[in-house]
Amino acid sequence: MAYNPFLNFCKVLDEAAAVAGIPKEDYEVLKHPERELKVALPVVKDDGILEVFEGYRVQHSSLRGPCKGGIRYHQDVNIDEVKALAAWMTFKCAIVNIPYGGGKGGVKVDPHTLSKSELEKLTRRYAAAILPLIGPQKDIPAPDVGTNAQTMDWLMDTYSMMAGHAVPGVVTGKDIEVGGSLGRTEATGRGIMIIARLVAEKYGLGRAKVAIQGAGNVGSISARLIYEDLGFDIIAISDVSGGIYKADGLDVKDVSEYLKSKRLLKDYSAPGARHITNEELLLVDCDILIPAALENQITAPIAEKLGAKIIVEAANGPTSVEADEILKSRGIEVYPDILANAGGVVVSYFEWAQNLQSLYWEEDDVNRMLDKVIVRAFGDVVKCAGEYNVTLRLAAYITALKRLTEAAKLRGIFPR
Ligand code: GLU
């Protein structure tokens, strides 16, 4: 059967509920997104030819607050993926205990094939199409794979033009000049760095050896912060073109500079650094492996062979359900996506709160608050794993599920 991340989500959810003794009727609603919208997006391209793109916005749950989650531009976007990503947002926000539900959007497009003006047209048309669903109190998009601050600025502007006044709180991850928060661009990578720090402390790893799959916003910033702030060795990193490896640690400053120029790692060269494939990267002997690319990378065959002691999931859904079982039997601990990559949405929450109050924070304060939230969530999940004697993924699901079912109980079902 084809890989279906939403069914995977449901499977893990059932398992978590069974372990925690949560009855089906208390969480059944979480297997059904509240709203799913599919939109068609006509765009006249630069050559005058019309192309119609397919887009989605899924609101998985608003039990704990407005829906929250990014918008993905990728050629493989499909409804099951968007549903899974939306559900993971619900759980992510519950784990870090911020007052949001979960949502996600996507457009089936390879953004690298469009010019800037085509991307702007596509984004504004998408914003118009999902307009009835979004708003600072309803559903707040943010960047994800293939989108960035500029995408959010266009969304914010389109929404504001329709409203007749500036509404910065409708999206997060904007540029600073239009209401973005200091520290938001680095937030997901910073969250990963904080988890890497906590993991190294917990297992006494010392100067850990780290391998990172992915060199986009999350992969590259995680690499830089882990190297600069923690002094760990980044022994491998990859992008779509493949990876580079150096057993005693890459020169991360040099690699970061190289990546800034948007060149591919297949063309990178430095003394002692050798080229490896993306699969080889996942198998590298290291203390911490950080998958920071797309879903379904650590599959069963990879899990059998991978050489890491600990996995910290920066991407959403990088490990398949089958692979999880294998990793468990091999004693490889997985710090799951919905905990590990929550730094982004936490600072999105700070951005939104700043927008609603028209009051802006210093970067130090943003980073300090982020640290506090991630340290607390890490502690909650580790404690839960001990209590139930389960994997960290199940513990993360249980932690979130308890908060969600409690909210559901208190709110009740309308109408009764
Ligand atoms: N796309 C990011 C994620 O998957 C950020 C979402 C947000 O900030 O709302 O967590």
Side-chain angles (χ1 to χ4, degrees):
M1 205 180 74
Y3 165 74
N4 182 328
F6 189 71
L7 292 183
N8 282 0
F9 159 78
C10 292
K11 225 167 154 176
V12 183
L13 181 58
D14 281 336
E15 213 182 321
V19 172
I22 296 170
K24 202 171 167 48
E25 62 180 52
D26 286 7
Y27 74 93
E28 178 62 21
V29 68
L30 295 168
K31 290 184 174 179
H32 306 269
E34 282 174 18
R35 286 193 187 90
E36 293 173 39
L37 177 66
K38 181 177 179 201
V39 294
L41 309 167
V43 173
V44 179
K45 310 238 325 242
D46 295 346
D47 58 7
I49 294 176
L50 177 96
E51 193 171 339
V52 183
F53 297 91
E54 208 170 272
Y56 305 93
R57 183 77 190 170
V58 171
Q59 297 180 337
H60 174 258
S61 170
S62 59
L63 262 174
R64 288 173 36 91
C67 297
K68 184 83 191 83
I71 291 168
R72 175 171 295 200
Y73 286 179
H74 193 274
Q75 58 276 17
D76 297 335
V77 160
N78 63 74
I79 186 64
D80 291 316
E81 181 189 50
V82 181
K83 278 165 67 177
L85 289 163
W88 288 328
M89 286 310 301
T90 302
F91 278 65
K92 199 182 292 187
C93 293
I95 289 169
V96 286
N97 217 351
I98 56 177
Y100 286 137
K104 200 84 175 197
V107 177
K108 190 174 169 55
V109 61
D110 177 357
H112 304 104
T113 63
L114 299 189
S115 68
K116 187 167 181 191
S117 88
E118 290 167 342
L119 275 175
E120 177 172 355
K121 284 189 206 170
L122 177 68
T123 302
R124 290 188 182 277
R125 185 65 189 228
Y126 175 72
I130 64 165
L131 202 79
L133 258 57
I134 60 173
Q137 310 299 341
K138 300 199 297 190
D139 182 356
I140 307 120
D144 195 72
V145 174
T147 57
N148 53 29
Q150 174 66 84
T151 324
M152 296 306 115
D153 301 346
W154 289 327
L155 262 161
M156 176 270 194
D157 183 71
T158 309
Y159 187 91
S160 299
M161 287 301 104
M162 300 293 177
H165 56 96
V167 189
V170 66
V171 292
T172 59
K174 303 174 290 292
D175 275 297
I176 308 293
E177 293 75 7
V178 291
S181 175
L182 293 167
R184 175 61 186 86
T185 310
E186 297 81 21
T188 310
R190 181 170 292 279
I192 294 295
M193 179 274 286
I194 297 166
I195 298 281
R197 186 186 78 213
L198 295 168
V199 162
E201 278 166 18
K202 183 165 184 272
Y203 301 90
L205 297 179
R207 182 170 163 174
K209 287 193 180 301
V210 181
I212 303 181
Q213 185 204 35
N217 170 282
V218 180
S220 62
I221 291 173
S222 304
R224 183 168 59 77
L225 293 178
I226 289 172
Y227 175 76
E228 281 176 5
D229 291 16
L230 306 181
F232 294 174
D233 291 319
I234 308 296
I235 60 165
I237 186 164
S238 67
D239 63 17
V240 280
S241 74
I244 48 174
Y245 172 84
K246 189 163 179 270
D248 59 352
L250 293 157
D251 180 345
V252 175
K253 276 205 174 74
D254 189 56
V255 177
S256 297
E257 278 308 311
Y258 180 86
L259 289 170
K260 268 191 210 142
S261 66
K262 302 239 175 295
R263 280 175 292 170
L264 291 172
L265 287 173
K266 74 173 168 44
D267 300 321
Y268 177 84
S269 75
R274 70 177 166 85
H275 288 268
I276 54 174
T277 65
N278 255 301
E279 180 166 333
E280 282 166 344
L281 183 133
L282 294 173
L283 304 181
V284 147
D285 269 327
C286 61
D287 295 306
I288 305 176
L289 171 67
I290 302 179
L294 290 170
E295 293 104 66
N296 205 27
Q297 298 298 301
I298 303 178
T299 53
I302 300 275
E304 297 279 7
K305 293 183 286 185
L306 67 74
K309 292 197 183 83
I310 291 151
I311 297 174
V312 174
E313 294 183 336
N316 288 309
T319 310
S320 75
V321 173
E322 300 73 31
D324 247 347
E325 281 304 313
I326 297 167
L327 295 172
K328 186 179 162 191
S329 69
R330 293 189 58 203
I332 298 170
E333 298 240 60
V334 182
Y335 284 79
D337 47 6
I338 50 176
L339 165 68
N341 73 22
V345 74
V346 170
V347 178
S348 275
Y349 166 52
F350 298 160
E351 177 174 332
W352 177 76
Q354 291 171 76
N355 292 156
L356 297 189
Q357 297 178 71
S358 303
L359 185 71
Y360 286 85
W361 307 357
E362 301 287 340
E363 189 163 357
D364 277 0
D365 294 327
V366 171
N367 292 345
R368 189 174 37 79
M369 294 281 288
L370 170 63
D371 208 283
K372 211 167 154 177
V373 173
I374 298 292
V375 169
R376 190 185 56 209
F378 181 92
D380 288 349
V381 171
V382 168
K383 184 162 164 254
C384 179
E387 267 168 30
Y388 289 96
N389 191 22
V390 290
T391 62
L392 292 152
R393 187 180 317 282
L394 273 192
Y397 270 72
I398 292 170
T399 306
L401 193 53
K402 283 187 174 174
R403 290 181 183 149
L404 285 157
T405 49
E406 185 58 28
K409 252 189 211 138
L410 290 167
R411 286 183 64 162
I413 293 175
F414 170 84
R416 197 64 163 177

PDB file of all heavy atoms in Angstrom, residues 357-383:
ATOM      1  N   GLN A 357      -0.686  42.372  20.532  1.00  0.00           N
ATOM      2  CA  GLN A 357      -0.487  43.446  21.521  1.00  0.00           C
ATOM      3  C   GLN A 357       0.210  44.667  20.937  1.00  0.00           C
ATOM      4  O   GLN A 357       0.378  45.652  21.641  1.00  0.00           O
ATOM      5  CB  GLN A 357       0.399  42.945  22.655  1.00  0.00           C
ATOM      6  CG  GLN A 357      -0.177  41.821  23.459  1.00  0.00           C
ATOM      7  CD  GLN A 357       0.823  41.388  24.535  1.00  0.00           C
ATOM      8  OE1 GLN A 357       1.070  42.099  25.502  1.00  0.00           O
ATOM      9  NE2 GLN A 357       1.407  40.232  24.342  1.00  0.00           N
ATOM     10  N   SER A 358       0.652  44.570  19.691  1.00  0.00           N
ATOM     11  CA  SER A 358       1.482  45.628  19.082  1.00  0.00           C
ATOM     12  C   SER A 358       2.638  46.006  19.999  1.00  0.00           C
ATOM     13  O   SER A 358       2.941  47.186  20.214  1.00  0.00           O
ATOM     14  CB  SER A 358       0.655  46.874  18.767  1.00  0.00           C
ATOM     15  OG  SER A 358      -0.410  46.555  17.927  1.00  0.00           O
ATOM     16  N   LEU A 359       3.268  44.983  20.554  1.00  0.00           N
ATOM     17  CA  LEU A 359       4.354  45.206  21.506  1.00  0.00           C
ATOM     18  C   LEU A 359       5.465  44.238  21.136  1.00  0.00           C
ATOM     19  O   LEU A 359       5.219  43.032  21.077  1.00  0.00           O
ATOM     20  CB  LEU A 359       3.822  44.884  22.907  1.00  0.00           C
ATOM     21  CG  LEU A 359       4.726  45.151  24.085  1.00  0.00           C
ATOM     22  CD1 LEU A 359       4.869  46.661  24.293  1.00  0.00           C
ATOM     23  CD2 LEU A 359       4.136  44.538  25.359  1.00  0.00           C
ATOM     24  N   TYR A 360       6.666  44.744  20.856  1.00  0.00           N
ATOM     25  CA  TYR A 360       7.706  43.862  20.315  1.00  0.00           C
ATOM     26  C   TYR A 360       8.817  43.557  21.318  1.00  0.00           C
ATOM     27  O   TYR A 360       9.160  44.400  22.141  1.00  0.00           O
ATOM     28  CB  TYR A 360       8.196  44.429  18.984  1.00  0.00           C
ATOM     29  CG  TYR A 360       7.114  44.177  17.954  1.00  0.00           C
ATOM     30  CD1 TYR A 360       6.039  45.062  17.789  1.00  0.00           C
ATOM     31  CD2 TYR A 360       7.088  42.986  17.243  1.00  0.00           C
ATOM     32  CE1 TYR A 360       4.998  44.771  16.911  1.00  0.00           C
ATOM     33  CE2 TYR A 360       6.049  42.692  16.369  1.00  0.00           C
ATOM     34  CZ  TYR A 360       5.021  43.584  16.210  1.00  0.00           C
ATOM     35  OH  TYR A 360       3.992  43.280  15.363  1.00  0.00           O
ATOM     36  N   TRP A 361       9.323  42.322  21.260  1.00  0.00           N
ATOM     37  CA  TRP A 361      10.288  41.833  22.248  1.00  0.00           C
ATOM     38  C   TRP A 361      11.712  41.876  21.692  1.00  0.00           C
ATOM     39  O   TRP A 361      11.927  41.801  20.488  1.00  0.00           O
ATOM     40  CB  TRP A 361      10.012  40.378  22.606  1.00  0.00           C
ATOM     41  CG  TRP A 361       8.641  40.028  23.053  1.00  0.00           C
ATOM     42  CD1 TRP A 361       7.587  40.882  23.233  1.00  0.00           C
ATOM     43  CD2 TRP A 361       8.156  38.717  23.367  1.00  0.00           C
ATOM     44  NE1 TRP A 361       6.479  40.176  23.641  1.00  0.00           N
ATOM     45  CE2 TRP A 361       6.796  38.852  23.732  1.00  0.00           C
ATOM     46  CE3 TRP A 361       8.731  37.446  23.393  1.00  0.00           C
ATOM     47  CZ2 TRP A 361       6.013  37.757  24.106  1.00  0.00           C
ATOM     48  CZ3 TRP A 361       7.950  36.362  23.760  1.00  0.00           C
ATOM     49  CH2 TRP A 361       6.609  36.522  24.124  1.00  0.00           C
ATOM     50  N   GLU A 362      12.652  41.902  22.617  1.00  0.00           N
ATOM     51  CA  GLU A 362      14.069  41.776  22.258  1.00  0.00           C
ATOM     52  C   GLU A 362      14.361  40.316  21.879  1.00  0.00           C
ATOM     53  O   GLU A 362      13.722  39.398  22.405  1.00  0.00           O
ATOM     54  CB  GLU A 362      14.953  42.123  23.465  1.00  0.00           C
ATOM     55  CG  GLU A 362      14.773  43.514  24.039  1.00  0.00           C
ATOM     56  CD  GLU A 362      15.367  44.591  23.158  1.00  0.00           C
ATOM     57  OE1 GLU A 362      16.231  44.270  22.327  1.00  0.00           O
ATOM     58  OE2 GLU A 362      14.951  45.761  23.306  1.00  0.00           O
ATOM     59  N   GLU A 363      15.367  40.110  21.026  1.00  0.00           N
ATOM     60  CA  GLU A 363      15.703  38.745  20.598  1.00  0.00           C
ATOM     61  C   GLU A 363      16.109  37.856  21.776  1.00  0.00           C
ATOM     62  O   GLU A 363      15.745  36.680  21.835  1.00  0.00           O
ATOM     63  CB  GLU A 363      16.820  38.788  19.547  1.00  0.00           C
ATOM     64  CG  GLU A 363      17.043  37.428  18.909  1.00  0.00           C
ATOM     65  CD  GLU A 363      17.823  37.512  17.606  1.00  0.00           C
ATOM     66  OE1 GLU A 363      18.157  38.628  17.163  1.00  0.00           O
ATOM     67  OE2 GLU A 363      18.090  36.428  17.037  1.00  0.00           O
ATOM     68  N   ASP A 364      16.823  38.446  22.725  1.00  0.00           N
ATOM     69  CA  ASP A 364      17.254  37.686  23.920  1.00  0.00           C
ATOM     70  C   ASP A 364      16.058  37.114  24.659  1.00  0.00           C
ATOM     71  O   ASP A 364      16.098  35.994  25.160  1.00  0.00           O
ATOM     72  CB  ASP A 364      17.975  38.628  24.907  1.00  0.00           C
ATOM     73  CG  ASP A 364      19.410  38.813  24.519  1.00  0.00           C
ATOM     74  OD1 ASP A 364      19.806  38.220  23.503  1.00  0.00           O
ATOM     75  OD2 ASP A 364      20.122  39.556  25.220  1.00  0.00           O
ATOM     76  N   ASP A 365      15.018  37.945  24.770  1.00  0.00           N
ATOM     77  CA  ASP A 365      13.818  37.505  25.494  1.00  0.00           C
ATOM     78  C   ASP A 365      13.119  36.379  24.744  1.00  0.00           C
ATOM     79  O   ASP A 365      12.646  35.416  25.341  1.00  0.00           O
ATOM     80  CB  ASP A 365      12.860  38.684  25.703  1.00  0.00           C
ATOM     81  CG  ASP A 365      13.471  39.730  26.638  1.00  0.00           C
ATOM     82  OD1 ASP A 365      14.218  39.322  27.548  1.00  0.00           O
ATOM     83  OD2 ASP A 365      13.232  40.928  26.434  1.00  0.00           O
ATOM     84  N   VAL A 366      13.060  36.501  23.404  1.00  0.00           N
ATOM     85  CA  VAL A 366      12.454  35.455  22.583  1.00  0.00           C
ATOM     86  C   VAL A 366      13.196  34.135  22.806  1.00  0.00           C
ATOM     87  O   VAL A 366      12.583  33.096  23.092  1.00  0.00           O
ATOM     88  CB  VAL A 366      12.477  35.839  21.081  1.00  0.00           C
ATOM     89  CG1 VAL A 366      12.058  34.668  20.200  1.00  0.00           C
ATOM     90  CG2 VAL A 366      11.605  37.057  20.811  1.00  0.00           C
ATOM     91  N   ASN A 367      14.535  34.193  22.723  1.00  0.00           N
ATOM     92  CA  ASN A 367      15.329  32.962  22.835  1.00  0.00           C
ATOM     93  C   ASN A 367      15.254  32.353  24.235  1.00  0.00           C
ATOM     94  O   ASN A 367      15.211  31.135  24.393  1.00  0.00           O
ATOM     95  CB  ASN A 367      16.790  33.240  22.460  1.00  0.00           C
ATOM     96  CG  ASN A 367      16.942  33.566  20.982  1.00  0.00           C
ATOM     97  OD1 ASN A 367      16.024  33.318  20.197  1.00  0.00           O
ATOM     98  ND2 ASN A 367      18.063  34.129  20.592  1.00  0.00           N
ATOM     99  N   ARG A 368      15.223  33.224  25.238  1.00  0.00           N
ATOM    100  CA  ARG A 368      15.148  32.740  26.620  1.00  0.00           C
ATOM    101  C   ARG A 368      13.800  32.036  26.863  1.00  0.00           C
ATOM    102  O   ARG A 368      13.732  30.955  27.445  1.00  0.00           O
ATOM    103  CB  ARG A 368      15.315  33.934  27.572  1.00  0.00           C
ATOM    104  CG  ARG A 368      15.476  33.574  29.031  1.00  0.00           C
ATOM    105  CD  ARG A 368      15.775  34.809  29.901  1.00  0.00           C
ATOM    106  NE  ARG A 368      15.047  36.016  29.479  1.00  0.00           N
ATOM    107  CZ  ARG A 368      13.771  36.259  29.771  1.00  0.00           C
ATOM    108  NH1 ARG A 368      13.075  35.413  30.476  1.00  0.00           N
ATOM    109  NH2 ARG A 368      13.178  37.362  29.337  1.00  0.00           N
ATOM    110  N   MET A 369      12.730  32.644  26.359  1.00  0.00           N
ATOM    111  CA  MET A 369      11.394  32.051  26.541  1.00  0.00           C
ATOM    112  C   MET A 369      11.282  30.728  25.774  1.00  0.00           C
ATOM    113  O   MET A 369      10.671  29.774  26.237  1.00  0.00           O
ATOM    114  CB  MET A 369      10.310  33.016  26.036  1.00  0.00           C
ATOM    115  CG  MET A 369      10.215  34.279  26.830  1.00  0.00           C
ATOM    116  SD  MET A 369       9.304  34.025  28.353  1.00  0.00           S
ATOM    117  CE  MET A 369       7.659  33.835  27.714  1.00  0.00           C
ATOM    118  N   LEU A 370      11.875  30.704  24.578  1.00  0.00           N
ATOM    119  CA  LEU A 370      11.843  29.477  23.773  1.00  0.00           C
ATOM    120  C   LEU A 370      12.547  28.351  24.537  1.00  0.00           C
ATOM    121  O   LEU A 370      12.045  27.217  24.623  1.00  0.00           O
ATOM    122  CB  LEU A 370      12.523  29.714  22.416  1.00  0.00           C
ATOM    123  CG  LEU A 370      12.777  28.460  21.570  1.00  0.00           C
ATOM    124  CD1 LEU A 370      11.461  27.779  21.192  1.00  0.00           C
ATOM    125  CD2 LEU A 370      13.546  28.816  20.286  1.00  0.00           C
ATOM    126  N   ASP A 371      13.715  28.670  25.083  1.00  0.00           N
ATOM    127  CA  ASP A 371      14.487  27.679  25.831  1.00  0.00           C
ATOM    128  C   ASP A 371      13.634  27.100  26.956  1.00  0.00           C
ATOM    129  O   ASP A 371      13.548  25.874  27.141  1.00  0.00           O
ATOM    130  CB  ASP A 371      15.741  28.352  26.401  1.00  0.00           C
ATOM    131  CG  ASP A 371      16.884  27.369  26.581  1.00  0.00           C
ATOM    132  OD1 ASP A 371      16.829  26.606  27.552  1.00  0.00           O
ATOM    133  OD2 ASP A 371      17.798  27.358  25.732  1.00  0.00           O
ATOM    134  N   LYS A 372      12.963  27.981  27.667  1.00  0.00           N
ATOM    135  CA  LYS A 372      12.137  27.582  28.808  1.00  0.00           C
ATOM    136  C   LYS A 372      11.030  26.606  28.361  1.00  0.00           C
ATOM    137  O   LYS A 372      10.804  25.571  28.994  1.00  0.00           O
ATOM    138  CB  LYS A 372      11.507  28.862  29.376  1.00  0.00           C
ATOM    139  CG  LYS A 372      11.248  28.837  30.838  1.00  0.00           C
ATOM    140  CD  LYS A 372      10.931  30.238  31.292  1.00  0.00           C
ATOM    141  CE  LYS A 372      10.079  30.177  32.546  1.00  0.00           C
ATOM    142  NZ  LYS A 372       9.790  31.495  33.068  1.00  0.00           N
ATOM    143  N   VAL A 373      10.370  26.948  27.264  1.00  0.00           N
ATOM    144  CA  VAL A 373       9.245  26.123  26.792  1.00  0.00           C
ATOM    145  C   VAL A 373       9.745  24.747  26.340  1.00  0.00           C
ATOM    146  O   VAL A 373       9.140  23.724  26.669  1.00  0.00           O
ATOM    147  CB  VAL A 373       8.496  26.846  25.641  1.00  0.00           C
ATOM    148  CG1 VAL A 373       7.445  25.932  25.019  1.00  0.00           C
ATOM    149  CG2 VAL A 373       7.836  28.121  26.149  1.00  0.00           C
ATOM    150  N   ILE A 374      10.866  24.722  25.610  1.00  0.00           N
ATOM    151  CA  ILE A 374      11.374  23.438  25.088  1.00  0.00           C
ATOM    152  C   ILE A 374      11.893  22.566  26.240  1.00  0.00           C
ATOM    153  O   ILE A 374      11.647  21.360  26.279  1.00  0.00           O
ATOM    154  CB  ILE A 374      12.475  23.664  24.016  1.00  0.00           C
ATOM    155  CG1 ILE A 374      11.909  24.433  22.811  1.00  0.00           C
ATOM    156  CG2 ILE A 374      13.108  22.339  23.567  1.00  0.00           C
ATOM    157  CD1 ILE A 374      10.903  23.704  21.955  1.00  0.00           C
ATOM    158  N   VAL A 375      12.606  23.182  27.183  1.00  0.00           N
ATOM    159  CA  VAL A 375      13.125  22.410  28.331  1.00  0.00           C
ATOM    160  C   VAL A 375      11.954  21.779  29.097  1.00  0.00           C
ATOM    161  O   VAL A 375      11.992  20.606  29.470  1.00  0.00           O
ATOM    162  CB  VAL A 375      13.988  23.308  29.266  1.00  0.00           C
ATOM    163  CG1 VAL A 375      14.300  22.599  30.582  1.00  0.00           C
ATOM    164  CG2 VAL A 375      15.281  23.707  28.555  1.00  0.00           C
ATOM    165  N   ARG A 376      10.891  22.545  29.283  1.00  0.00           N
ATOM    166  CA  ARG A 376       9.732  22.024  30.022  1.00  0.00           C
ATOM    167  C   ARG A 376       9.074  20.874  29.251  1.00  0.00           C
ATOM    168  O   ARG A 376       8.753  19.823  29.807  1.00  0.00           O
ATOM    169  CB  ARG A 376       8.724  23.155  30.266  1.00  0.00           C
ATOM    170  CG  ARG A 376       7.613  22.773  31.234  1.00  0.00           C
ATOM    171  CD  ARG A 376       6.586  23.883  31.353  1.00  0.00           C
ATOM    172  NE  ARG A 376       6.056  24.215  30.039  1.00  0.00           N
ATOM    173  CZ  ARG A 376       5.590  25.413  29.684  1.00  0.00           C
ATOM    174  NH1 ARG A 376       5.605  26.409  30.537  1.00  0.00           N
ATOM    175  NH2 ARG A 376       5.123  25.629  28.469  1.00  0.00           N
ATOM    176  N   ALA A 377       8.888  21.061  27.946  1.00  0.00           N
ATOM    177  CA  ALA A 377       8.229  20.017  27.137  1.00  0.00           C
ATOM    178  C   ALA A 377       9.080  18.748  27.105  1.00  0.00           C
ATOM    179  O   ALA A 377       8.556  17.632  27.197  1.00  0.00           O
ATOM    180  CB  ALA A 377       7.986  20.538  25.716  1.00  0.00           C
ATOM    181  N   PHE A 378      10.390  18.910  26.980  1.00  0.00           N
ATOM    182  CA  PHE A 378      11.317  17.776  26.985  1.00  0.00           C
ATOM    183  C   PHE A 378      11.144  16.995  28.297  1.00  0.00           C
ATOM    184  O   PHE A 378      11.002  15.773  28.305  1.00  0.00           O
ATOM    185  CB  PHE A 378      12.756  18.309  26.852  1.00  0.00           C
ATOM    186  CG  PHE A 378      13.832  17.259  26.817  1.00  0.00           C
ATOM    187  CD1 PHE A 378      14.273  16.734  25.612  1.00  0.00           C
ATOM    188  CD2 PHE A 378      14.437  16.807  27.985  1.00  0.00           C
ATOM    189  CE1 PHE A 378      15.292  15.781  25.564  1.00  0.00           C
ATOM    190  CE2 PHE A 378      15.445  15.851  27.957  1.00  0.00           C
ATOM    191  CZ  PHE A 378      15.871  15.335  26.741  1.00  0.00           C
ATOM    192  N   GLY A 379      11.124  17.733  29.403  1.00  0.00           N
ATOM    193  CA  GLY A 379      10.958  17.109  30.720  1.00  0.00           C
ATOM    194  C   GLY A 379       9.626  16.367  30.815  1.00  0.00           C
ATOM    195  O   GLY A 379       9.578  15.230  31.313  1.00  0.00           O
ATOM    196  N   ASP A 380       8.562  16.982  30.323  1.00  0.00           N
ATOM    197  CA  ASP A 380       7.226  16.351  30.384  1.00  0.00           C
ATOM    198  C   ASP A 380       7.229  15.031  29.614  1.00  0.00           C
ATOM    199  O   ASP A 380       6.678  14.026  30.072  1.00  0.00           O
ATOM    200  CB  ASP A 380       6.161  17.268  29.757  1.00  0.00           C
ATOM    201  CG  ASP A 380       5.849  18.475  30.631  1.00  0.00           C
ATOM    202  OD1 ASP A 380       6.300  18.506  31.803  1.00  0.00           O
ATOM    203  OD2 ASP A 380       5.162  19.396  30.145  1.00  0.00           O
ATOM    204  N   VAL A 381       7.838  15.035  28.427  1.00  0.00           N
ATOM    205  CA  VAL A 381       7.805  13.836  27.570  1.00  0.00           C
ATOM    206  C   VAL A 381       8.693  12.734  28.152  1.00  0.00           C
ATOM    207  O   VAL A 381       8.295  11.565  28.206  1.00  0.00           O
ATOM    208  CB  VAL A 381       8.197  14.190  26.110  1.00  0.00           C
ATOM    209  CG1 VAL A 381       8.379  12.938  25.270  1.00  0.00           C
ATOM    210  CG2 VAL A 381       7.144  15.106  25.487  1.00  0.00           C
ATOM    211  N   VAL A 382       9.887  13.113  28.623  1.00  0.00           N
ATOM    212  CA  VAL A 382      10.794  12.116  29.211  1.00  0.00           C
ATOM    213  C   VAL A 382      10.141  11.479  30.446  1.00  0.00           C
ATOM    214  O   VAL A 382      10.180  10.257  30.640  1.00  0.00           O
ATOM    215  CB  VAL A 382      12.167  12.759  29.555  1.00  0.00           C
ATOM    216  CG1 VAL A 382      13.012  11.831  30.418  1.00  0.00           C
ATOM    217  CG2 VAL A 382      12.916  13.115  28.268  1.00  0.00           C
ATOM    218  N   LYS A 383       9.493  12.306  31.247  1.00  0.00           N
ATOM    219  CA  LYS A 383       8.830  11.807  32.464  1.00  0.00           C
ATOM    220  C   LYS A 383       7.707  10.831  32.086  1.00  0.00           C
ATOM    221  O   LYS A 383       7.575   9.750  32.661  1.00  0.00           O
ATOM    222  CB  LYS A 383       8.264  13.011  33.222  1.00  0.00           C
ATOM    223  CG  LYS A 383       7.630  12.661  34.540  1.00  0.00           C
ATOM    224  CD  LYS A 383       7.506  13.916  35.423  1.00  0.00           C
ATOM    225  CE  LYS A 383       6.538  13.644  36.559  1.00  0.00           C
ATOM    226  NZ  LYS A 383       5.253  14.298  36.400  1.00  0.00           N
TER     227      LYS A 383
END
